Amino acid sequence: IEEVIKALVTSFDLAAQSRGLQVNFDRGKTELLWNVIGKGAKATKQTLYSQGSQLTWDHQGHLYRLHICHAYKHLGTWTQTKHRHAREVLARASAARQQWGQLARPFFRRSLSLATKVRVFQALVVSKMLYNVHTWAGVKQEEMEHWNNHLRGPIALLMKGVLAPQRKFRHPTDTLCAWCGMLPLPQQVHLNRLRFAKRLVHRCPTITWRL
Protein backbone atom coordinates (compact mmCIF):
# COMPACT_ATOMS: atom_id res chain seq x y z
CA ILE A 1 0.00 0.00 0.00
CA GLU A 2 2.84 2.38 0.80
CA GLU A 3 4.31 1.94 -2.69
CA VAL A 4 0.90 2.50 -4.27
CA ILE A 5 0.44 5.71 -2.26
CA LYS A 6 3.84 7.02 -3.36
CA ALA A 7 3.12 6.22 -7.00
CA LEU A 8 -0.30 7.93 -6.87
CA VAL A 9 0.99 11.06 -5.18
CA THR A 10 3.96 11.31 -7.54
CA SER A 11 1.73 10.91 -10.60
CA PHE A 12 -0.70 13.49 -9.22
CA ASP A 13 2.09 15.99 -8.63
CA LEU A 14 3.59 15.46 -12.10
CA ALA A 15 0.18 15.86 -13.72
CA ALA A 16 -0.31 19.13 -11.82
CA GLN A 17 3.11 20.41 -12.89
CA SER A 18 2.35 19.64 -16.54
CA ARG A 19 -0.63 22.00 -16.23
CA GLY A 20 1.35 24.78 -14.58
CA LEU A 21 0.14 24.02 -11.06
CA GLN A 22 2.06 23.35 -7.86
CA VAL A 23 0.73 21.08 -5.10
CA ASN A 24 1.04 22.38 -1.54
CA PHE A 25 2.17 19.46 0.65
CA ASP A 26 2.11 21.44 3.92
CA ARG A 27 0.20 20.20 6.95
CA GLY A 28 -3.50 20.89 6.57
CA LYS A 29 -3.23 21.30 2.77
CA THR A 30 -2.35 17.91 1.30
CA GLU A 31 -2.52 15.08 3.84
CA LEU A 32 -2.97 11.32 3.77
CA LEU A 33 -5.76 9.53 5.64
CA TRP A 34 -4.26 6.09 6.23
CA ASN A 35 -5.73 3.42 8.49
CA VAL A 36 -2.76 1.08 8.98
CA ILE A 37 -4.07 -2.43 9.67
CA GLY A 38 -3.15 -6.02 8.85
CA LYS A 39 0.11 -7.91 8.93
CA GLY A 40 3.10 -5.70 9.75
CA ALA A 41 0.87 -2.82 10.93
CA LYS A 42 2.75 -2.40 14.23
CA ALA A 43 6.14 -2.10 12.55
CA THR A 44 4.73 0.33 9.97
CA LYS A 45 3.20 2.52 12.68
CA GLN A 46 6.50 2.59 14.58
CA THR A 47 8.35 3.60 11.42
CA LEU A 48 5.85 6.36 10.65
CA TYR A 49 6.03 7.63 14.23
CA SER A 50 9.82 7.82 14.09
CA GLN A 51 9.52 9.83 10.86
CA GLY A 52 7.18 12.38 12.44
CA SER A 53 4.00 10.91 10.90
CA GLN A 54 5.31 11.53 7.41
CA LEU A 55 6.01 9.54 4.29
CA THR A 56 9.22 10.68 2.63
CA TRP A 57 10.62 9.52 -0.68
CA ASP A 58 12.70 10.84 -3.56
CA HIS A 59 11.61 10.88 -7.19
CA GLN A 60 13.92 12.20 -9.89
CA GLY A 61 15.72 14.45 -7.40
CA HIS A 62 12.54 15.83 -5.84
CA LEU A 63 11.96 15.02 -2.16
CA TYR A 64 8.34 14.39 -1.22
CA ARG A 65 7.05 14.81 2.34
CA LEU A 66 3.45 13.71 2.83
CA HIS A 67 1.88 14.20 6.26
CA ILE A 68 -0.29 11.35 7.63
CA CYS A 69 -3.33 12.09 9.79
CA HIS A 70 -6.41 10.37 11.23
CA ALA A 71 -8.85 13.25 10.69
CA TYR A 72 -9.02 15.86 7.93
CA LYS A 73 -11.36 18.83 7.53
CA HIS A 74 -12.41 19.66 3.97
CA LEU A 75 -15.10 22.17 3.00
CA GLY A 76 -16.50 22.26 6.53
CA THR A 77 -16.70 18.48 6.90
CA TRP A 78 -14.49 16.26 9.06
CA THR A 79 -13.34 12.98 7.52
CA GLN A 80 -11.88 10.32 9.85
CA THR A 81 -10.32 6.91 9.42
CA LYS A 82 -12.09 3.68 10.43
CA HIS A 83 -15.47 5.15 9.41
CA ARG A 84 -15.57 7.23 12.57
CA HIS A 85 -17.76 10.32 12.75
CA ALA A 86 -17.14 11.55 16.30
CA ARG A 87 -15.54 14.87 15.30
CA GLU A 88 -18.16 15.48 12.64
CA VAL A 89 -20.97 14.81 15.14
CA LEU A 90 -19.49 17.33 17.57
CA ALA A 91 -18.89 19.88 14.79
CA ARG A 92 -22.50 19.71 13.57
CA ALA A 93 -23.90 19.84 17.10
CA SER A 94 -21.63 22.73 18.09
CA ALA A 95 -22.66 24.81 15.06
CA ALA A 96 -26.36 24.15 15.68
CA ARG A 97 -26.23 24.91 19.39
CA GLN A 98 -24.20 28.07 18.74
CA GLN A 99 -26.90 29.28 16.37
CA TRP A 100 -29.53 28.34 18.93
CA GLY A 101 -27.75 30.33 21.63
CA GLN A 102 -27.84 33.46 19.47
CA LEU A 103 -31.61 33.11 18.91
CA ALA A 104 -32.85 31.70 22.20
CA ARG A 105 -32.98 34.92 24.22
CA PRO A 106 -33.95 37.61 21.64
CA PHE A 107 -36.35 35.50 19.57
CA PHE A 108 -37.69 32.29 21.10
CA ARG A 109 -38.71 33.91 24.40
CA ARG A 110 -41.21 36.12 22.65
CA SER A 111 -44.90 35.22 22.60
CA LEU A 112 -44.83 33.63 19.17
CA SER A 113 -46.82 30.65 17.98
CA LEU A 114 -45.18 27.24 18.06
CA ALA A 115 -45.48 26.91 14.27
CA THR A 116 -43.53 30.16 13.76
CA LYS A 117 -40.83 29.08 16.18
CA VAL A 118 -40.50 25.71 14.47
CA ARG A 119 -40.10 27.28 11.02
CA VAL A 120 -37.30 29.54 12.23
CA PHE A 121 -35.74 26.68 14.20
CA GLN A 122 -35.76 24.45 11.11
CA ALA A 123 -34.25 27.10 8.85
CA LEU A 124 -31.47 28.34 11.14
CA VAL A 125 -30.67 25.59 13.64
CA VAL A 126 -31.68 22.25 12.14
CA SER A 127 -30.13 23.18 8.80
CA LYS A 128 -26.72 23.41 10.48
CA MET A 129 -27.34 20.12 12.25
CA LEU A 130 -28.17 18.34 8.96
CA TYR A 131 -25.32 19.78 6.88
CA ASN A 132 -23.69 16.91 4.94
CA VAL A 133 -25.00 14.29 7.39
CA HIS A 134 -26.56 12.36 4.49
CA THR A 135 -23.04 11.71 3.13
CA TRP A 136 -21.77 9.94 6.27
CA ALA A 137 -20.70 6.44 5.25
CA GLY A 138 -20.63 3.57 7.73
CA VAL A 139 -22.09 5.66 10.54
CA LYS A 140 -23.10 3.58 13.56
CA GLN A 141 -26.49 3.72 15.23
CA GLU A 142 -24.88 4.87 18.49
CA GLU A 143 -23.27 7.81 16.69
CA MET A 144 -26.59 8.81 15.10
CA GLU A 145 -28.35 8.67 18.47
CA HIS A 146 -25.59 10.75 20.05
CA TRP A 147 -25.88 13.27 17.20
CA ASN A 148 -29.68 13.35 17.46
CA ASN A 149 -29.74 13.89 21.23
CA HIS A 150 -27.62 17.04 21.03
CA LEU A 151 -30.75 19.02 20.07
CA ARG A 152 -33.01 17.44 22.67
CA GLY A 153 -32.67 20.40 25.05
CA PRO A 154 -33.32 23.16 22.47
CA ILE A 155 -36.29 21.26 21.02
CA ALA A 156 -37.72 20.77 24.51
CA LEU A 157 -37.52 24.52 25.11
CA LEU A 158 -39.67 25.07 22.03
CA MET A 159 -42.46 23.26 23.89
CA LYS A 160 -42.73 26.03 26.49
CA GLY A 161 -46.41 26.47 27.26
CA VAL A 162 -47.32 23.20 25.54
CA LEU A 163 -45.87 20.66 27.97
CA ALA A 164 -45.31 21.03 31.69
CA PRO A 165 -41.62 21.78 32.50
CA GLN A 166 -41.17 18.53 34.42
CA ARG A 167 -42.47 16.48 31.47
CA LYS A 168 -40.50 18.05 28.64
CA PHE A 169 -37.26 16.24 29.40
CA ARG A 170 -38.86 12.84 29.96
CA HIS A 171 -39.43 12.20 26.27
CA PRO A 172 -36.94 11.23 23.52
CA THR A 173 -35.90 13.72 20.88
CA ASP A 174 -38.01 12.13 18.14
CA THR A 175 -41.17 12.40 20.27
CA LEU A 176 -40.52 16.07 21.00
CA CYS A 177 -39.99 16.72 17.28
CA ALA A 178 -43.32 15.06 16.50
CA TRP A 179 -45.09 17.18 19.12
CA CYS A 180 -43.64 20.30 17.49
CA GLY A 181 -44.95 19.19 14.12
CA MET A 182 -41.39 18.65 12.87
CA LEU A 183 -40.04 15.56 11.13
CA PRO A 184 -37.53 13.77 13.44
CA LEU A 185 -33.91 14.46 12.56
CA PRO A 186 -33.02 10.85 11.51
CA GLN A 187 -35.99 10.89 9.13
CA GLN A 188 -34.85 14.20 7.68
CA VAL A 189 -31.41 12.64 7.08
CA HIS A 190 -33.04 9.72 5.27
CA LEU A 191 -35.08 12.17 3.17
CA ASN A 192 -31.89 14.04 2.22
CA ARG A 193 -30.30 10.73 1.21
CA LEU A 194 -33.18 10.03 -1.16
CA ARG A 195 -32.88 13.52 -2.65
CA PHE A 196 -29.13 13.03 -3.06
CA ALA A 197 -29.71 9.68 -4.84
CA LYS A 198 -32.26 11.30 -7.15
CA ARG A 199 -29.85 14.08 -8.13
CA LEU A 200 -27.11 11.50 -8.65
CA VAL A 201 -29.25 9.42 -11.01
CA HIS A 202 -30.65 12.32 -13.04
CA ARG A 203 -27.71 14.73 -13.19
CA CYS A 204 -24.58 12.62 -12.95
CA PRO A 205 -22.57 12.67 -16.21
CA THR A 206 -23.03 9.65 -18.42
CA ILE A 207 -19.30 8.90 -18.34
CA THR A 208 -19.62 8.07 -14.63
CA TRP A 209 -21.94 5.15 -15.31
CA ARG A 210 -19.55 3.79 -17.95
CA LEU A 211 -16.59 3.48 -15.57
Side-chain angles (χ1 to χ4, degrees):
I1 294 178
E2 181 177 344
E3 295 302 321
V4 172
I5 292 172
K6 293 178 180 179
L8 287 173
V9 174
T10 302
S11 301
F12 170 69
D13 183 50
L14 294 177
Q17 292 180 14
S18 66
R19 291 164 174 79
L21 302 174
Q22 184 177 2
V23 180
N24 188 351
F25 286 98
D26 292 341
R27 184 190 296 266
K29 296 300 182 181
T30 302
E31 296 182 316
L32 171 65
L33 282 173
W34 187 9
N35 182 23
V36 184
I37 58 175
K39 185 178 180 180
K42 183 177 180 180
T44 302
K45 291 179 180 179
Q46 291 175 344
T47 303
L48 293 175
Y49 179 78
S50 63
Q51 296 176 352
S53 298
Q54 287 183 335
L55 273 181
T56 58
W57 71 96
D58 183 81
H59 179 76
Q60 296 180 355
H62 179 73
L63 181 63
Y64 287 91
R65 295 183 181 273
L66 182 63
H67 180 72
I68 300 173
C69 60
H70 299 286
Y72 185 80
K73 189 175 183 181
H74 178 65
L75 297 178
T77 300
W78 281 101
T79 303
Q80 295 180 260
T81 58
K82 299 182 181 180
H83 295 290
R84 293 174 179 171
H85 298 83
R87 297 193 70 169
E88 183 66 359
V89 167
L90 293 176
R92 299 274 71 80
S94 177
R97 293 180 70 90
Q98 182 179 9
Q99 185 67 52
W100 161 259
Q102 295 175 357
L103 295 171
R105 179 169 295 181
F107 184 81
F108 288 110
R109 290 189 178 184
R110 297 179 182 178
S111 56
L112 300 174
S113 65
L114 180 60
T116 301
K117 293 180 180 180
V118 169
R119 284 197 295 268
V120 176
F121 187 78
Q122 279 267 75
L124 301 180
V125 180
V126 177
S127 60
K128 290 185 176 294
M129 195 70 170
L130 295 175
Y131 177 73
N132 268 356
V133 175
H134 63 281
T135 63
W136 293 355
V139 60
K140 299 178 182 178
Q141 184 64 28
E142 296 80 7
E143 292 176 321
M144 287 299 295
E145 292 177 357
H146 181 60
W147 166 81
N148 188 29
N149 289 331
H150 273 288
L151 279 191
R152 182 166 175 260
I155 293 175
L157 292 176
L158 289 178
M159 304 297 293
K160 184 178 181 180
V162 180
L163 288 177
Q166 65 273 17
R167 293 188 59 194
K168 290 189 295 186
F169 296 97
R170 295 180 182 178
H171 302 284
T173 308
D174 293 352
T175 302
L176 294 174
C177 287
W179 257 324
C180 290
M182 182 170 57
L183 195 64
L185 300 184
Q187 299 299 321
Q188 294 193 48
V189 173
H190 184 60
L191 185 61
N192 289 339
R193 288 171 178 165
L194 295 176
R195 291 169 175 163
F196 180 80
K198 181 180 179 181
R199 291 195 301 269
L200 182 66
V201 171
H202 288 285
R203 299 185 180 181
C204 191
T206 307
I207 184 62
T208 306
W209 306 110
R210 295 178 182 174
L211 294 177

